[in-house]
Amino acid sequence: MTHDTTYKFSSPSMVIIALDIKDEDIMENKLKVYRAMKDLTQEELAKELGVTRQTIIAIEKNKYDPSLLLAFKIAHFFEVKVEDIFTYKSDHDI
């Protein structure tokens, strides 16, 4: 049985995507490597990006996945593509 669901959004830019993300699915990153290549402290990078040092620490330790906007800001800062820094890994990739 299929269901036809219609969603109404208050703005055309609002989009909802449902993903089947499991606890085994993680996003790995190379933020610490890129930060070291520019010889930046966590505090300096945080200031450049407009976030806290704790946010940088959490991202580097894979405790926090940045928003899409922040991921793009990070990539733009380092002049690379988002996927050069962030990599999605699922249990199927292991």
Side-chain angles (χ1 to χ4, degrees):
M1 175 186 248
T2 60
H3 298 279
D4 184 27
T5 305
T6 303
Y7 296 97
K8 292 185 179 184
F9 299 104
S10 59
S11 100
S13 63
M14 290 182 62
V15 177
I16 298 174
I17 300 174
L19 299 174
D20 184 23
I21 299 177
K22 299 173 181 58
D23 289 337
E24 304 85 29
D25 296 342
I26 60 169
M27 187 164 62
E28 296 178 344
N29 72 77
K30 299 176 186 168
L31 183 56
K32 189 172 185 176
V33 172
Y34 278 91
R35 183 173 58 78
M37 287 172 25
K38 286 208 172 205
D39 197 30
L40 293 170
T41 65
Q42 292 167 332
E43 184 69 33
E44 290 168 334
L45 179 58
K47 284 181 182 177
E48 288 287 336
L49 298 172
V51 298
T52 65
R53 180 176 156 267
Q54 289 78 12
T55 298
I56 300 300
I57 291 168
I59 293 170
E60 287 184 354
K61 291 184 175 184
N62 289 316
K63 301 286 184 190
Y64 170 72
D65 292 335
S67 68
L68 186 57
L69 178 60
L70 180 54
F72 272 99
K73 283 176 76 172
I74 292 168
H76 181 75
F77 176 79
F78 289 109
E79 300 177 335
V80 297
K81 296 181 284 186
V82 171
E83 57 267 27
D84 291 337
I85 299 176
F86 299 98
T87 307
Y88 170 75
K89 299 282 184 183
S90 75
D91 57 345
H92 301 292
D93 296 333
I94 298 173

